[in-house]
Amino acid sequence: MNGTPNPDSFFRAGDRVVELKFHRCLWSGRFTENSPLAIAECASQRVLRTEIDVRAVRDGEFVVLHDDRFDRVTDATGLVRDATAVEAARARFKDGSHPLLFSEAVELIAAHEYPRHIELDLKDLAPYTRPQAEAIARAVQPLKERGHFSCPADWNLRRLLAVDPTILVSLNPHCYIDTELDDEVRLPSGAYGYRDAHPLARQRVSSTADYLRDRFGGIMRLVPGVLEAHLRVEMFERILDDGVADVAEIFHSLGIKVDVWTLDAGKPGWRERLARIAAAGVDIVTTNTARELATAARGFA
């Protein structure tokens, strides 16, 4: 077996390596996001880092799907949370394969050398029950050294760690601070121009940089042992626009890597945006178009 990582799954920014995360395991675009065919393709192409989405279904199982409904990517309809595991697995993706239960996805990924790192993105904000947390912790064991759970719902990450404190976790601070209004998390506008309900956001009493250091420092400590922070690319760029050039260092000083999501080729100014965030010290860029980003990044040197 050729153990060399695919050169289109990372690039160099000066003396640093920036890894490209394949969003929903999309490599060539031939297969449906999160499908077993897409997952297998990432393994065969030896990509360093991928991401899949995980949702709870009605009977306590979990299925690998991004949306809260089946409609967009499968031939089934309705809410994922209303289906049983059997019903969810019976749906058919547009590439002809079927959605995987989380335990099945873990087995498929664990059977291959690649990807080396995989983000297991938990989509549910509703608090997990103890049996649900135990089921997830049990299912991830074959992939435990390579997979980490991410979620904006810090309470669910803590529930997993209560079951197994050695599980790897990362956190999206979206529930506490962001730049956009979200339907699920309706944060008010704060004095610094960010959406934030914290008392520090009520009025300007310090520099924007100090405010963000205080906020991110507190948020990232809500879950012990966080490995990565996941920031929307627009959020990261806004912080740079506010003159906080060392935003990545806020997280690095806590021992946390920075992942920005999602930057795709074809979006306005994407090459310039990629060069800017790479120069600002990010560790990971999540994308649906990794090969195009890797090619563009080779011209930065």
Side-chain angles (χ1 to χ4, degrees), residues 8-292:
D8 285 341
S9 63
F10 64 94
F11 64 88
R12 295 193 177 276
D15 60 355
R16 297 183 305 106
V17 172
V18 179
E19 295 186 358
L20 294 168
K21 184 192 302 174
F22 288 69
H23 193 218
R24 306 176 194 174
C25 280
L26 289 172
W27 162 259
S28 66
R30 292 172 53 209
F31 305 115
T32 305
E33 63 185 50
N34 285 310
S35 73
L37 294 176
I39 294 171
E41 185 179 43
C42 283
S44 67
Q45 293 298 322
R46 309 184 319 279
V47 303
L48 277 174
R49 189 178 288 267
T50 59
E51 177 257 3
I52 60 172
D53 300 292
V54 182
R55 282 192 177 274
V57 292
R58 191 177 76 212
D59 52 3
E61 292 280 359
F62 293 84
V63 66
V64 179
L65 283 168
H66 175 272
D67 296 359
D68 62 349
R69 297 185 62 87
F70 288 100
D71 307 52
R72 181 176 64 87
V73 294
T74 80
D75 61 359
T77 60
L79 291 169
V80 175
R81 67 172 179 265
D82 291 340
T84 65
V86 170
E87 291 166 343
R90 191 182 297 143
R92 187 178 294 274
F93 283 123
K94 293 178 180 179
D95 63 16
S97 63
H98 296 272
L100 293 171
L101 298 182
F102 176 58
S103 57
E104 294 172 330
V106 167
E107 290 179 6
L108 175 59
I109 297 165
H112 300 278
E113 183 182 4
Y114 286 90
R116 293 283 177 80
H117 307 282
I118 183 157
E119 178 189 349
L120 309 168
D121 191 359
L122 303 172
K123 307 307 292 185
D124 304 294
L125 294 186
Y128 290 148
T129 64
R130 178 76 182 196
Q132 284 178 312
E134 290 173 345
I136 296 177
R138 185 168 54 249
V140 81
Q141 293 303 311
L143 197 62
K144 195 171 176 181
E145 302 303 316
R146 292 160 55 194
H148 69 272
F149 290 103
S150 71
C151 193
D154 53 284
W155 47 93
N156 279 335
L157 295 176
R158 288 193 298 272
R159 281 166 168 76
L160 292 183
L161 290 170
V163 172
D164 182 350
T166 66
I167 282 176
L168 304 180
V169 294
S170 61
L171 182 62
N172 180 340
H174 167 70
C175 284
Y176 297 95
I177 186 170
D178 209 330
T179 54
E180 291 186 358
L181 180 63
D182 181 88
D183 289 338
E184 285 190 290
V185 184
R186 301 185 67 84
L187 295 172
S189 295
Y192 294 86
Y194 296 84
R195 292 198 169 272
D196 184 0
H198 195 273
L200 283 177
R202 292 176 184 168
Q203 59 180 330
R204 284 182 171 269
V205 294
S206 66
S207 68
T208 300
D210 285 344
Y211 157 72
L212 291 171
R213 288 189 187 96
D214 284 334
R215 293 297 291 122
F216 286 130
I219 293 166
M220 302 314 293
R221 290 182 174 91
L222 288 170
V223 181
V226 167
L227 299 175
E228 298 171 10
H230 307 288
L231 298 180
R232 286 188 312 103
V233 64
E234 293 84 3
M235 173 76 164
F236 192 86
E237 290 173 316
R238 168 60 186 277
I239 297 172
L240 293 177
D241 289 342
D242 281 345
V244 188
D246 63 345
V247 55
E249 183 55 30
I250 295 175
F251 298 94
H252 291 164
S253 67
L254 301 172
I256 297 171
K257 291 184 177 182
V258 180
D259 164 39
V260 297
W261 57 277
T262 303
L263 179 61
D264 292 338
K267 290 187 176 181
W270 68 270
R271 289 182 178 84
E272 294 76 14
R273 297 172 72 190
L274 176 63
R276 186 188 190 198
I277 63 176
V282 303
D283 305 285
I284 305 155
V285 178
T286 299
T287 180
N288 295 297
T289 58
R291 288 181 291 177
E292 291 88 342

